[in-house]
Amino acid sequence: MAFDDDPTRVRAKLTDRGRGLVAAGATLTVAGVGLGFVDLVRVGAFALALPLLVLLGSRRRWSVLRLDRWVDGLPVTSGVPTTVTVRVQNQGSATTSVLLAEDHLSPGLAAGPTANPAGTANSVRFVCGPVPPESARSFAYQVHPVRRGRHRIGPLALTRRDPLGLASSVLSMPEQLEIVALPAVHRLAGSIGTVGIGSDGSMPAMTVLHGEDDTSIRGYHDGDDVRRIHWPATAHRGELMVRHEGRPTSRRALLLVDPLLLPITPGPGQSALDWAAEAIASVAAHLASGGFALHPITPESVASASADTPVPLARLVHALALVEPEAESPAGDHSGHPALLSTLRELAARGGLLVAAAGDHHEPTLHRLLDTRPPGGAGLLFVLDSSSFLGGPPGRRTGALADLARARGWTATAVTAGDDVGTGWARLLHVQASGGVVR
C-alpha cells in the first residue's frame, strides 16, 4: 500500500530543541524591547522565527512510499518467537532522507525473542537509511506472541527530522498485519483405556465409540446368508452381490471450549482459557493420531451449526486460537452458553468421547457440564483452580470437585496455574490406572 503526504497522515511538530529555541527567542525579544537594545531584539526575533520556519518547511512533500509487511514461518504458535519483515519502497522521484521507523505491536505481542511479562502494547524501532527512487529497504525483527489469538502489527510511523534537529515530521502508514497465534500443542505420551458405548467395545488405546453406519456392497462369498443378497446390485453387475455391514470404524471426540466455563484471568499470567485451549488442542492431536474424528464444540461451531461435522486437526487448533473470553452478566450469571452444553449433550448421546476443561468458580455450571455425559459414555475433564489462575493461592475445593466428577463417571483431574499440559495428562493417566473412574 502506497502513502504520500496526505495531511491526515502527516504530523509536524517542534522538537525539544526547537521549543527551547522558541522560548529563548521570545525571552530575548521581550528583554531587548524592555531594555531598548535593538540588536538583542534582532537576535531574539531570529531565534524565535527560525524554528517556526523550519516547522513550516518540515511539511514539504514526502516521497510516495509503499509498505509491505509479512511474517516468516507461518503458522505462528504462542510462546514461539517469529520473524516479521518490513519492506519500505520509494516510488517517488527523489531520494528519501534518513527516517526513524517505529512499528507498533498490539498487546499480546512482545518485541524480541523473549516475552514481555506485562503483555502490554509496545513497539519496535529501527533506522531506515536513504532510499533512492524505485528502490527499497527491508528490515526484519522478532516478535514473541505472549498469548494465543489474534494480534495486530502496525501502524508504522516514519519520522523525518531537519538537519538542525528543530522540527520533525511524522508520516503514519496505517496498514496493519493481523496474525493468529495458535495454542501450543504438546506431545502427550501414553493412553487411557476406557469403555465406550460403541459396538466395538473396549480398546487398548482409547475408547471406540459410536460412528456412522458402515454398509457397503461386495461380491458373494460361499457361506454368506442369501438374505443379504442385494438384488439391484446383482442385476446391475451380473453377479451375486451382498450387503456387507461392517462395524463402525469412526471414533468421535467432542472437544468443548466454552469461555464462560472458565474464569476471566486479569494480569500478565497465562489465563485459564489459554491453558484450556492448549490442553484441548494437545489432547485432540493425541486422539487424532489414534484415528478419532474431531468435533470442536465452541461458540463459533455451535452458532454455525457445524459442531456435528468433523474437522481436521489444523482447523480445530485454529478454532481454539480464536475463542475469546466473555464477561459474565451483571447479575453474576455463570450459566455459560446453554446452546454449547445442549449441543454437547445431544452429540454425546449419539456416541463420542467428551473432552472438556472447566473452572471451579461456579459449581452449578460444573454440574451442568457433568450432566452432559450419557450413562456408559466416557469423558476427560480438567478442573482448573480458579483462585490460582486469578493470582491467588490454590483453592481447596478444586480437588473435591474433581473427585465429584470422577464419582459421576468422568476421568478428571485438578489443575493449578503453573501446571503444564503434560502434567495434567499424566494425572489423568494416574487416575485411570488407579481405578479412579466410577462407572
Side-chain angles (χ1 to χ4, degrees):
M1 185 176 294
F3 303 94
D4 51 18
D5 60 349
D6 184 336
T8 63
R9 300 195 180 103
V10 176
R11 303 189 315 273
K13 64 179 182 179
L14 292 175
T15 63
D16 291 341
R17 180 183 298 179
R19 289 193 293 270
L21 191 57
V22 167
T27 301
L28 291 175
T29 301
V30 172
V33 171
L35 297 176
F37 293 107
V38 177
D39 290 341
L40 191 60
V41 173
R42 291 172 180 171
V43 173
F46 177 77
L48 180 63
L50 179 61
L52 299 179
L53 293 175
V54 172
L55 179 63
L56 293 176
S58 67
R59 289 189 59 86
R60 70 184 186 275
R61 185 176 181 84
W62 281 70
S63 297
V64 179
L65 303 177
R66 177 182 176 86
L67 171 66
D68 294 295
R69 189 191 286 111
W70 64 90
V71 175
D72 299 334
L74 294 174
V76 177
T77 302
S78 64
V80 179
T82 188
T83 301
V84 178
T85 302
V86 178
R87 183 172 183 266
V88 179
Q89 182 179 7
N90 182 5
Q91 296 182 331
S93 58
T95 300
T96 68
S97 58
V98 177
L99 304 174
L100 174 64
E102 184 175 13
D103 214 4
H104 294 276
L105 307 176
S106 66
L109 285 180
T114 59
N116 174 12
T120 55
N122 51 88
S123 60
V124 177
R125 295 183 178 182
F126 49 90
V127 176
C128 178
V131 183
E134 303 303 323
S135 299
R137 286 185 179 271
S138 297
F139 305 89
Y141 58 87
Q142 281 193 317
V143 295
H144 189 107
V146 179
R147 297 186 177 95
R148 47 135 214 126
R150 287 190 175 95
H151 304 289
R152 292 182 305 278
I153 301 175
L156 178 73
L158 297 174
T159 303
R160 179 180 63 191
R161 289 191 176 185
D162 68 283
L164 298 177
L166 301 178
S168 63
S169 178
V170 180
L171 172 64
S172 178
M173 307 183 78
E175 184 182 33
Q176 298 185 21
L177 175 66
E178 182 178 273
I179 62 174
V180 175
L182 304 179
V185 177
H186 305 274
R187 177 180 288 274
L188 303 179
S191 59
I192 295 181
T194 61
V195 175
I197 56 176
S199 59
D200 285 346
S202 61
M203 289 284 289
M206 294 298 297
T207 182
V208 176
L209 302 164
H210 277 320
E212 304 298 328
D213 291 337
D214 182 13
T215 303
S216 60
I217 307 298
R218 61 168 176 81
Y220 177 83
H221 296 161
D222 290 339
D224 285 338
D225 191 338
V226 295
R227 291 174 296 182
R228 293 171 55 192
I229 294 177
H230 192 276
W231 295 108
T234 297
H236 178 74
R237 298 285 296 272
E239 58 178 311
L240 286 176
M241 305 295 292
V242 297
R243 291 186 298 273
H244 173 63
E245 298 175 351
R247 290 182 173 224
T249 57
S250 175
R251 298 181 289 173
R252 306 198 310 172
L254 310 176
L255 303 123
L256 174 69
V257 179
D258 184 348
L260 287 182
L261 289 173
L262 299 158
I264 298 176
T265 308
Q270 184 184 37
S271 71
L273 181 56
D274 288 344
W275 194 98
E278 286 191 14
I280 299 298
S282 302
V283 174
H286 191 69
L287 296 177
S289 66
F292 275 79
L294 305 177
H295 296 257
I297 314 297
T298 65
E300 181 182 3
S301 67
V302 171
S304 61
S306 61
D308 196 25
T309 303
V311 300
L313 176 62
R315 183 175 169 185
L316 180 139
V317 174
H318 188 271
L320 294 178
L322 301 181
V323 176
E324 297 291 341
E326 298 185 19
E328 299 169 0
S329 69
D333 181 18
H334 298 73
S335 60
H337 293 280
L340 265 70
L341 295 182
S342 61
T343 299
L344 180 65
R345 181 182 294 105
E346 176 186 349
L347 295 179
R350 292 155 50 187
L353 171 66
L354 280 60
V355 183
D360 61 358
H361 58 305
H362 195 254
E363 292 187 27
T365 304
L366 184 58
H367 283 278
R368 279 187 285 271
L369 172 61
L370 298 181
D371 290 339
T372 60
R373 189 191 67 84
L380 307 179
L381 177 63
F382 298 98
V383 183
L384 276 60
D385 187 318
S386 302
S387 176
S388 64
F389 278 95
L390 293 173
R396 298 180 179 180
R397 59 180 178 176
T398 311
L401 291 176
D403 290 338
L404 173 64
R406 290 193 286 269
R408 298 277 292 273
W410 291 73
T411 300
T413 186
V415 175
T416 58
D419 288 344
D420 56 40
V421 174
T423 299
W425 178 254
R427 289 175 181 167
L428 286 179
L429 293 177
H430 178 73
V431 167
Q432 181 65 34
S434 61
V437 175
V438 179
R439 301 186 182 91

